[in-house]
Structure formats: C-alpha cells, structure tokens
Amino acid sequence: MAIIGVVSQKGGVGKSTLCQALVAEATRAGLLAKLADLDVLQGTAVEWNRVRTSQGVDPVVDVQSFTTVEASLRGAESIDYLIIDGPARSTVNTLAVAKCADLIIQPTGCYSADLRPAVRLSNELVASGIPRERLVIVLCRVGSDAEERDARTFLIEAGLVAVAGSLPERTAYRTAQNHGKAITEVSIRSLRVRAERLISNIGEFLA
C-alpha cells in the first residue's frame, strides 16, 4: 500500500481537485484506491462523490469521510493507494498526514501569497522530521507560462521540488467537478490530456 497525503495551509489552491483526480485515475487503472476526506466541516470530496454517484460517472470511486488520520488508516492495508485529503489550516492534522504518507503533495497557486505559505509549511514539516525527499509541490490555477516559470524559479530557490506540468485556471475544470467528474475527465481534450500528464507525473514520485 502507498499513502499519498495532500496538504495545504491555504484553502482554494487545488487540494481536493488533485485528490479527486488521483483516486479516479488509480481506480481507472484497475487499482484499489480510497480517498479519505479529513475535512469534515467542508466535506468537499465526499460531496463531489455524492454528485458523481448521482450522475452515474464511471469509474465508481471510494471516498469516505474520517475525523482523524488514524481512523483513515484502519483496514487500509488491503488497498493499493490511500489518498488523504488533509484539512486546510490544521497544523496538527497536517503533520499527522505527513508522518504516515509515502508522498506528501502540496498544491499551490503561483501568487506569492500562495507560494510563501507553501514554502513555510514545507520547512516546518522538515523541521518536524519529515524527509524533504517525500515533499513535492504541484502548481495549480496557473494563469500563464510566464507565471509558471516565475513560480518554479521561486520554488527552486527555496530548495523545493515541483512536479513537472501544471494545472491552468480554466472554467471547464470547475464545470467538470460540478458534475462529479475529475479534472482528468473534462470534455475538452487538450485540458484532459494536460491533467492526465500532471497526475501521471505525480505517480512517478511513487515509482
């Protein structure tokens, strides 16, 4: 079993978006995957899956809500991937997710107001004993190629690794999610391929 923790100290940077795509693509590949939604107040992933089920979107994915990291781990030995959608702005739970995860993903936008907290959280996790090589950044809500280049430069200078590829800011992605689909299931082929490549690139860090 591999555990992927997706964490952020900010909301709205693509955390649940990545989790939804990861569980959808792992399931589509024939793997046993579960998405554990730890944000019991928002329940974004659980609500997304409720819509997905009502719309009859395939593949059927396993999404469950948990109040603690420990609860999400119970019985998970029998599955291939456990994807943990950590609650935003929760230092204690974020560290708990990071301690058990084989890969810790931090999505971030390209604005300095997004990037600086991402760097700060990464440094805090490393200071708490999390190996730096288990931490990766994923750029989401990208506005332009120039914006992405600047963000990557910022992250490199901060000593962080960013996954190849990025997720642009597009209405079509949000529309797909509103109908219970993942970003890798969007109807526009160019956007679908871009999202698929990003998720595949994330998977390379678990190889």
Side-chain angles (χ1 to χ4, degrees):
M1 177 187 66
I3 301 175
I4 303 171
V6 186
V7 300
S8 173
Q9 289 302 87
K10 289 197 66 177
V13 291
K15 185 168 57 63
S16 294
T17 294
L18 292 179
C19 288
Q20 292 161 10
L22 286 165
V23 74
E25 292 311 299
T27 304
R28 195 185 315 281
L31 300 169
L32 291 177
K34 177 188 292 186
L35 172 50
D37 188 349
L38 263 62
D39 195 340
V40 294
L41 294 178
Q42 299 268 357
T44 303
V46 171
E47 176 59 20
W48 167 79
N49 192 43
R50 185 192 66 76
V51 175
R52 184 181 182 89
T53 301
S54 70
Q55 295 289 321
V57 180
D58 288 322
V60 174
V61 297
D62 185 357
V63 182
Q64 297 180 37
S65 178
F66 296 93
T67 56
T68 65
V69 175
E70 292 76 14
S72 73
L73 296 174
R74 293 184 194 123
E77 300 85 0
S78 60
I79 65 175
D80 298 305
Y81 286 102
L82 175 64
I83 300 140
I84 303 178
D85 187 354
R89 306 180 187 90
S90 175
T91 303
V92 173
N93 279 318
T94 296
L95 181 57
V97 171
K99 283 182 175 179
C100 73
D102 300 292
L103 179 67
I104 303 119
I105 299 169
Q106 251 202 105
T108 179
C110 292
Y111 305 107
S112 60
D114 292 332
L115 291 166
R116 293 185 187 282
V119 171
R120 187 162 55 248
L121 177 56
S122 291
N123 290 336
E124 288 173 357
L125 291 174
V126 171
S128 298
I130 304 300
R132 188 175 291 274
E133 58 268 23
R134 282 162 52 191
L135 296 163
V136 296
I137 302 290
V138 175
L139 293 173
C140 298
R141 308 189 70 175
V142 174
S144 67
D145 291 342
E147 187 177 60
E148 181 176 345
R149 285 195 300 271
D150 289 345
R152 289 187 181 278
T153 298
F154 180 89
L155 292 169
I156 289 170
E157 291 175 350
L160 299 179
V161 174
V163 173
S166 63
L167 194 65
E169 180 73 80
R170 295 291 187 273
T171 302
Y173 284 134
R174 293 193 294 273
T175 300
Q177 289 175 288
N178 287 342
H179 291 86
K181 295 182 179 181
I183 52 172
T184 50
E185 298 166 328
V186 67
S187 59
I188 300 174
R189 184 179 184 278
S190 61
L191 294 181
R192 185 172 66 252
V193 169
R194 183 160 181 169
E196 288 171 343
R197 286 175 179 167
L198 177 62
I199 297 304
S200 177
N201 291 340
I202 292 173
E204 293 296 319
F205 285 87
L206 285 168

